[in-house]
């Protein structure tokens, strides 16, 4: 939208269509990284490092990183949070997460497009991308069923075959994404 000498745009993003890094089991994060094409060694490093970043101690996991053994030895040292992530951008501080993985190889569709830190932890079956559905453990056939069904009509309840797998059909958490450009 044009406004004076500049422009602005905005959109709402469903945070419950994403995988919550603060509540997801390591297996779901591993499945997500696998779906993004991350190799086994780097996946193990990222998973352990995310857990080390979040846990309250300074004891690194086998492939992880804590303040004393890794982050404080960097050219610009910093400490691991030792608490839940407050922003998805924090991933860029975690060992193993590269800018290319975070943003995607062409600047779109990377890890940042599939994760959140601001939801209740359930994934909305009506709005989750196939990538996020894959991370929740759905097979390709199940993903096909979900995407085909919701094109016709949204799910009103979680179908029995998907029950107990961390799904919801409504969203309570949205993000407002706004951009302003002034010439």
């Amino acid at each position: 939208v044009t406004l004076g000498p500049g422009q602005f745009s905005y959109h709402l993003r469903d945070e419950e269509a994403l995988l919550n890094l603060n509540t997801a089991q390591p297996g779901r994060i591993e499945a997500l990284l696998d779906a993004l094409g991350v190799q086994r060694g780097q996946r193990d490093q990222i998973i352990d490092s995310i857990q080390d970043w979040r846990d309250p101690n300074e004891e690194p996991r086998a492939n992880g990183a804590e303040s004393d053994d890794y982050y404080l030895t960097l050219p610009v040292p910093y400490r691991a949070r030792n608490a839940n992530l407050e922003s998805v951008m924090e991933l860029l501080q975690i060992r193993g997460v590269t800018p290319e993985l975070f943003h995607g190889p062409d600047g779109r569709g990377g890890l940042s497009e599939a994760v959140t830190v601001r939801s209740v932890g359930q994934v909305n079956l009506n709005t989750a991308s196939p990538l996020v559905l894959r991370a929740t453990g759905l097979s390709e056939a199940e993903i096909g069923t979900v995407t085909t069904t919701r094109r016709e009509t949204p799910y009103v309840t979680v179908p029995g075959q998907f029950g107990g797998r961390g799904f919801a059909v409504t969203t309570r958490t949205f993000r407002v994404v706004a951009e302003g450009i002034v010439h």
Side-chain angles (χ1 to χ4, degrees):
V1 176
T2 301
L3 180 64
Q7 300 174 336
F8 74 92
S9 66
Y10 66 92
H11 68 275
L12 296 177
R13 182 171 177 177
D14 180 353
E15 290 292 292
E16 293 175 30
L18 308 171
L19 190 66
N20 188 320
L21 289 170
N22 291 326
T23 61
Q25 295 298 317
R28 284 192 172 189
I29 297 171
E30 180 178 11
L32 176 61
L33 293 171
D34 184 45
L36 288 168
V38 177
Q39 297 300 311
R40 179 71 148 163
Q42 186 182 8
R43 265 196 329 256
D44 292 346
Q45 184 179 72
I46 293 169
I47 292 164
D48 281 0
S49 295
I50 288 172
Q51 290 180 79
D52 283 339
W53 187 266
R54 291 181 55 231
D55 71 23
N57 64 48
E58 284 293 333
E59 298 167 20
R61 286 171 171 73
N63 299 298
E66 289 285 1
S67 299
D68 291 334
D69 74 312
Y70 182 74
Y71 300 114
L72 290 175
T73 67
L74 296 173
V76 178
Y78 53 91
R79 293 194 164 281
R81 177 169 301 284
N82 291 334
N84 281 340
L85 283 81
E86 292 182 2
S87 165
V88 169
M89 293 296 292
E90 268 182 78
L91 280 171
L92 289 167
Q93 294 179 276
I94 294 176
R95 183 179 184 189
V97 179
T98 64
E100 182 179 55
L101 173 60
F102 184 79
H103 297 291
D106 58 356
R108 301 167 64 118
L111 189 57
S112 65
E113 295 297 313
V115 297
T116 184
V117 297
R118 304 271 183 225
S119 72
V120 296
Q122 291 185 311
V123 173
N124 188 332
L125 202 55
N126 286 313
T127 56
S129 70
L131 176 65
V132 172
L133 293 173
R134 200 168 291 116
T136 63
L138 266 60
S139 68
E140 292 303 317
E142 290 173 317
I143 293 169
T145 298
V146 168
T147 56
T148 301
T149 301
R150 70 187 187 190
R151 261 191 297 253
E152 300 295 321
T153 182
Y155 287 101
V156 217
T157 61
V158 176
Q161 70 199 63
F162 302 120
R165 294 167 79 175
F167 290 113
V169 293
T170 59
T171 296
R172 296 175 296 217
T173 313
F174 294 91
R175 178 187 315 178
V176 177
V177 180
E179 180 180 34
I181 301 171
V182 178
H183 299 287

